[in-house]
Amino acid sequence: ANVSGGRLTAAISAAGGLGMLGAGSAVTADWIRTEGAIAAAGGRPYGVGLMAWSVQERPEHLEAVLELKPALVSLSFGDYSQYVGPLQKEGIVVATQAGTVADAREAIDAGVDVIVARGAEAGGHGRNAVGTLPLLQAILDLTDLPVLAGGGISGARGLAAVLAAGAAGGWIGTAFLTCVEGLTSDPVAQRVIEADETDTVYGTVFDAASRAGWPDEFGGRALRNAYFDQWEGREDELKTDDTGHTHYVEGTKAKDVTRASIYAGQGVGAITGRPTAAEVLDGFAGYRDYLRAALNGGAK
């Protein structure tokens, strides 16, 4: 959300990935329709990401997605089970992000088509319970469904690693944060470029500040800043502090990186510039060289 609009989604799909349109809770159904049309214009498959808790409050988001009929819809974070059938009925592949083995079992019971093993390293919202590699292995042992790996996959080496472990693919977000086709503003992109792998934090500070409606069960991994440090440990107080809320909202509008939430995973240190989506995908395509080298008994 607020990074992947229709243009970035289309660019990723055109370059050989499956671009995902980030439909945040604050957007309108018309925004989803408009950006979805941009994503679909090139004729390549694409997907849409929705939050289950948000769809419960804004059913028009799901209606818009059903009209668009993207190749895949990701529904996570809340009770999504009632939406699986209607999406599949329209020929849409349904994925969900699982942060624990228990989450994966619920996904299997709900009848999803694809499970994303989302580790604690991942940027944005989800659980902070277990890292990508142990989670991926456990979920692969649990099911024959296709399993994608998400969290900490910052380049070709990481993609090769999860594919070698048995993942059907990588679920990648942070690597695209500064792409020129994305919605990320210049000040935010520059902060992302300057960050290293130790600069992320996990918590609910920014959710308490935004009052968007995120369940406390799902915190978010973002870049540490002065606002987070000021309110960490005081999240309940922040939920009702109008001054703190206004300070955050105004900082977000001003693209003030000391106040705004910049969601990013631990792979953020690998970002060094403003590439095109095609350049990022081209870099990931090098995973074949690492797998080949491993099969030949040596590192690339």
Side-chain angles (χ1 to χ4, degrees):
N2 304 315
V3 175
S4 188
R7 187 172 171 231
L8 179 57
T9 302
I12 291 171
S13 290
L18 181 75
M20 292 292 295
L21 182 67
S25 60
V27 303
T28 65
D30 283 341
W31 183 93
I32 294 174
R33 292 185 181 96
T34 299
E35 297 299 316
I38 294 170
R44 301 297 296 271
Y46 73 99
V48 179
L50 298 171
M51 291 86 68
W53 66 265
S54 178
V55 171
Q56 289 171 356
E57 299 174 6
R58 299 168 180 84
E60 66 272 15
H61 283 188
L62 184 66
E63 292 168 8
V65 170
L66 287 168
E67 291 173 20
L68 288 169
K69 293 184 174 60
L72 181 143
V73 167
S74 171
L75 260 171
S76 310
F77 315 126
D79 182 9
Y80 53 84
S81 58
Q82 62 185 303
Y83 310 121
V84 174
L87 287 163
Q88 290 174 333
K89 186 178 179 181
E90 296 299 325
I92 300 168
V93 174
V94 179
T96 194
Q97 298 184 49
T100 63
V101 171
D103 284 347
R105 288 197 176 100
E106 290 180 6
I108 294 166
D109 290 343
V112 304
D113 302 295
V114 179
I115 297 175
V116 180
R118 182 209 176 275
E121 303 97 318
H125 286 85
R127 300 194 191 279
N128 196 38
V130 60
T132 301
L133 195 55
L135 180 64
L136 174 64
Q137 293 171 87
I139 294 177
L140 285 169
D141 286 341
L142 180 69
T143 181
D144 291 329
L145 287 174
V147 179
L148 305 177
I153 304 172
S154 58
R157 290 181 186 275
L159 183 56
V162 298
L163 291 173
W171 187 260
I172 298 160
T174 299
F176 295 97
L177 279 180
T178 62
C179 283
V180 295
E181 300 95 341
L183 302 175
T184 306
S185 67
D186 288 338
V188 171
Q190 187 57 40
R191 175 66 187 99
V192 170
I193 291 166
E194 293 169 354
D196 64 31
E197 78 283 359
T198 65
D199 282 346
T200 68
V201 288
Y202 177 90
T204 60
V205 168
F206 296 123
D207 296 324
S210 71
R211 303 181 184 176
W214 272 96
D216 286 342
E217 180 182 1
F218 305 108
R221 183 169 297 283
L223 296 184
R224 179 184 290 280
N225 61 13
Y227 189 92
F228 185 93
D229 288 342
Q230 177 186 356
W231 288 100
E232 185 178 19
R234 301 165 55 204
E235 291 83 357
D236 286 342
E237 177 186 346
L238 179 56
K239 289 177 182 179
T240 56
D241 189 303
D242 290 339
T243 300
H245 168 66
T246 300
H247 193 56
Y248 171 81
V249 171
E250 290 178 348
T252 299
K253 290 178 180 177
K255 317 298 185 203
D256 181 352
V257 299
T258 68
R259 290 183 282 169
S261 54
I262 304 175
Y263 289 105
Q266 290 179 342
V268 69
I271 297 177
T272 58
R274 301 295 305 266
T276 65
E279 288 169 339
V280 174
L281 265 294
D282 187 56
F284 275 108
Y287 78 87
R288 299 179 183 90
D289 295 331
Y290 294 109
L291 289 180
R292 227 176 267 119
L295 287 171
N296 292 333
K300 179 177 178 293

